Structures are given as C-alpha cells and as structure tokens.
Amino acid sequence: MNRIIRNILSVAVLALAGCSSAPQTETDRKVEELLSQMTLHEKIGQMNQLSGGAWLADQAAKGEVGSILNCVDPAEINAVQRAAVEESRLGIPILVARDVIHGFRTIFPIPLGLASTFDPEIVEEGARVAAVEATASGIRWTFSPMLDVARDPRWGRVAEGSGEDPYLDVQMGLAMVRGYQGEDLSNPASMAACIKHFVGYGAAEGGRDYNSTMISERSLRNTYFPAFKATADAGAATLMTSFNEIDGIPSTGNKWLLKDILRDEWGWDGMVVTDWNSAGEMIAHGFSNDLKHTAEQSVNAGVDMDMMSYGFIQYLEELVKEGKVSEAEIDRAVRNILKLKFDLGLFENPYVDETASAKVDYAPAHLEAAKQSAVESAILLKNEGGVLPLDKAKTILVTGPLADAPYEQMGTWAFDGQQEHTVTPLTALRQEYDVIWEPGLAYSRDRSTKEFAKVRNAASRAEAAVVFVGEEAILSGEAHSLSNLNLQGAQSELIAEVAKAGKPVVVVVIAGRPLTVERDLDNCDAMLYSFHPGTMGGPALADLIKGKANPSGKLPMTFLRDAGQAPFYYNHNNLGRPNNGTETLLYDIPIAAGQTSLGCTSYYLDTGYGPLFPFGYGLSYTSFKYGNPVLDKGEYTEDDVIRVSFELKNTGMREGTEVVQLYVQDKVGSVVRPVKELKGFQRVTLAPGETRTVTFELPVSDLAFWNIDMEYVVEKGDFNLWVAGDSASGEPVSFEVI
Ligand code: NOJ
C-alpha cells in the first residue's frame, strides 16, 4: 500500500474514532496525526527549502526537503516528488515553488505596469492565467505578490510592486492573491500566493537594494502593513520575510513582526518562509554570531521554513537538544507547512501530468488577456497637437533599441517566458504600416551614434517617426539600483536626432521604472510610457499607436524631473512650510545675494518643488470634464458611508476610459496627516459626448489611521475630498466627521 493511501486511511480511522486533542477541522486532525508520527529530524526536513530539481531526490527520500524552488521541468519535479512520496518514511509530498511574478509562460506587464491599469479585474485575470500555466508544469506555490510600498525609483525592485500608494497596493495585492489561489487551493490549477517582503524592504535608504530602512512603527502601520494585513485577512497562504532590518532588527529574526503582529494581532494562520538566505544574512548584519545562531533566532521569532540558508537542517536538532529552541516551536512551524500541503491537495495529488503544460502554455485566451493588460497599462504622458493616434499615416519610421527586443520587453523576473513567443512592436506595426526600420542603437546602453545619420535620413522619408527607447530587462529588478534615471546610452541623443527631421515624433518608453524623461519630452510630440509590457507588448502598443485602442493607464508612482528628488511621493505628510507655488530658482538668484531664505518653503533650487508628473496622471486620446463633486451629507458619524457623486463627461471625439480617483485629506490629526490619500478609484468608459454620474461610496471607517496613542481610529473633525484624474488636480469639497 503506498504511503499516501496509508496516511489517508490512518487519518480516516482517527477521524472516525473521534480524535480527542481538540483540533478543529478535518485538516487539523490530519496534520496532528501526521505530526505525531514524525521524528524531530523529519519535522526539521519539512522546514527546509532547497533550490534544485532531480538531484535532490536522495535528500527527499530521507525526508529532508519540505519544498523546492526553481525547478520547472515537470519530469524532474515528478522525479523528486516520487522520491518524497514513495521512498521517504512518511511519504510527505514536496511543495514546488517558483517566482511566477507577472506570468509564467505568457508574460504580462511587470507588476508596476499592472498597477498602472488601476484595474483589479484584469490583474486578477493575469494572476489566474499565471496559475493555470505554472501549475500545469507542477508549480503550486508562487513568491508573489510583492507588496512593498516603494517611493524611490532608484530602487530596481519598484518594477515588482504596485508603486508608492498603500491603497493601490492593497487592491492590486488582493487581486493577485484571488487570481493565484482561486476559489479553492485544492484545485490542481491553484497556486499558493506568498505576500512579500515582510516588511519595509521597499524603503531601502537611497534606493540602494538590501540597504537599511528607517521606518517608525506608525509609518509601518499606516503605510507598509496595510497590503499585508488585507491580503492576510483575505487568506493569502504564505508570507516571506524581508532582507532588511528595521530599527536594528532583521525581519527574519523579528519576533514582534512575525509573532506579535502577524499571529497575535492579525490572527493569521498561514506559513512563513524566509527570503533566500535571509536567515544566514543575519550574520552579515551583525545580528547573529553564526549560522546556528541564525536558525535559533529565526525559528524563535516565528519563521516556519528556511529558504537556502541550510541553517535549519544543520542545527535545529542540536538547538532543540540544547533547549534553545523548543520542540513546540518546531511543531508550530511544521503544522503550518503540513496544513498548506493538505490544503493544496498535495497528498491526494502529488504529481503533475507531464503533458499538461503543452495544452495551456500561450493559449489564445492567455495571450489576449496579456495584450489587454498591456493596452490598459500604457500611460500617455504627452500628446501635443493630437499627434497620436497615427491613424492617417501610411509610412512610418520605426527606430530605437526597444522596438524589436523580444527578450527585453518581458522585463525582470520573467524566467520562464520564452522570447520566441514575444511579439515586438516592430512586428506588430508592420501589420499596420509601411515601416521603414532603422534600429539606430543596438541596445539601450549603446553609446555609439554611428547609425544616426541613417536614422535621420529615414525619418525624412517617413510621415512620422516612432522611437522605442527605455531599459533592457536587466536594468531593473533585484539588485539593479541606479543613481541616474536618465535614458541610458545615446537614447536621448537618438530622439533628438530624429526630431531634427521635422516630422511628428512619437516616443514610446519601455522600462522597468519611472525614468527621468524631461529632456526627451522636449524633443517629441507624444510620449507613451509602457512599463515592460510582456509577451504581447507589441500588438498592444501597435493598437494604441494606430488608434485601435485608447490609452487609459495612470501613473502608480510620481515621475521625477531628476533622480535627486527621490524619494518623492504625493501622499507625504503636511509640512510646516509647504511650497506655495513661489520658487526662486538657481539662476534667478542674484550674484552675491545676501543670506536670505528664499521664501522659506520646501523645494529644490534647481528642480523646484513639483514632480514631472504626479501620481495618478495619464492622458487619453479623448478628454474628460469633471463636474463638481456633491456629497450626500455635510456631517458623518463613524458608522456612515460617505456617498459622493459627480458628472464625468467625455468631451472629445473618441470613446475612452478614465480612471477616476477619490482622494481624502484629514485636515487636523492627533499626529501629522498626509496631504491627501487615495481612497478609491473606478475605470469609467464613455462614448464621445456621453455624460455619466459617477458615485463613490466610502465607509467612514476607511478614514481610520494609527493615532497618537497607536490606536486605529477615525478622528472626528474636518476633511477635504477630491475626485480627479490625478493626485494634483481638482478642487476639494469638505465634510465633517462628528
Ligand atoms: C530573493 C528575492 O528577494 C525574493 O523576492 C525571491 O522570491 C527569492 N529570492 C526566491 O527567488
């Protein structure tokens, strides 16, 4: 009799006999039964996650591997699984993990691009597609979504998250968790989500990856926790600790975070994994003496599974014998791991059908969803004279290093997307136009201008030029911080060269982060910004350029004029000396000026106060007029729902979708409050000339924050409310919470 069936039978017998030790669910009973049969060594084996495939079979057979990552070959996965299920003493299946971040085979826009859609439904659909494709290859656990609020575009990992705003982060995180996990984790096409990196990793000083973070408890609670709390409450199955330390305590050894907050305060019952060797790195942090010490600190802090430090498997048995880690802590961790394996149905269904992936990878519906996501994620930043769409032109010049770069347009963390399946803008535009193709530059960092004369000559023969610039995939993502955010290589020079031909110039930026494109805006008539758009980026951008689709994306991060402005985010706290619109700039200061304070407000002498584009910004080929918002009441109590309505009119000649945004400001608080905060958004599609009444319903309880006494409350008093197309527009209306 195989071991799985034996386990199932013994559990069934136990269930019939009516197990006494108070476990509540059938799964709990199965977990307890199995746990009671395990040796300490086998328990610790479950807490060990290793990178690799078939060569881990021997360790799996000894019960020393709880999970593997980075193997995507179904045959190899089955081989390790067979060793665990059929050769290990208790036959506990292995959990197979992978970084499926924005698609598995069919690559969707990078998460920052997904956030630009402000469309949780399409994001959920993308995550579902990723789950269907990844599970068909045997992967049942993804290390996504990344929920790190990130306000500094120098940090390469801004690509992997939803940007600077906690509310948008919550909505995108929930959508991804729903998409990955589906209705029921036990469905073989469901994947456990992993909310990461807990916590504060996105606040690395200076945008330098792996750097220190300085975050107060209030700011953790108001800004960095909300997406973790919301997705934990929604049933996210697992959580990953972060590399960084906060206030001197690395997250992987932070009992306050992993026990007091996550378990006791939030009551979350999922499974906690470390980041890759984040336990071991506590030695480099100077927080642990050696690997053995890291294992002790991590498990005692509340970690369940170790990713690749090898510390748990080497030292936990010894630590238990020495009384430094209790067996109760080990049992706690193993319970969480086994419960997840039961929830995923791995005991019943440990193997993957090795022919399955061929049937689902790159399915037409998946490609269509990827294309729609890429369409919705592109942001129109400039469109002087309505140059876009290029619906009349027949002959266009296509140039630039990102026009035909199938690998680069997939972006960071796209390990399993195959570039042969990527459709580039060049390929797609050739279906629509007579294309003159001159690359100009071979890749985004190319500094050679030797091809520029050809490009300029080609531009003069075309009716319009479309220049695809940006970043290669490798320039953003983990460990890819930058201190200068201008276009790399000679890309800005290429745009300027094309402009000399005097034809309409459209620039399309394909990048992993907000770049500082101010000087490039001066040399073009229109600019579309597409965070690495994935497999179907080409057809999506071609539809937008041709006018078969209308841009509707909005910025999920503030765009800077200069990297020196970072970090810069719209929802900063009220200042004592806010900028009032008057700035004396560098070259306006008289020579030998006296030691005056130049207005005494918060701004830079060189770049002034404002950003290049505010959070939430994005144009359309049509235009929208916002009517005045009308509140249903002037005063609300804590249990009320605020209803605010306004008329939105499509004042242009095309159908278009506007992302309408709701912002609130708590005017006076027991602690200083943000100047405004996003509290809702909707995508509204209107025909030309159509007017619609748009209504937001905002529960007053959504105005709560962590106050002076570190309590989560709505404070009575006056508020401002805006409805607008971005975070810098609109006139406020006021209400009071009584
Ligand atoms: C390190 C990264 O920080 C994390 O996000 C990722 O999931 C793991 N490596 C596994 O690849």
Side-chain angles (χ1 to χ4, degrees), residues 69 99 143 157 196-197 240 243 275-276 307 413 478:
L69 75 156
D99 287 284
F143 299 129
R157 299 195 84 169
K196 71 183 188 186
H197 308 84
M240 186 186 289
F243 287 128
D275 201 343
W276 183 287
M307 184 196 296
W413 292 107
E478 185 176 347

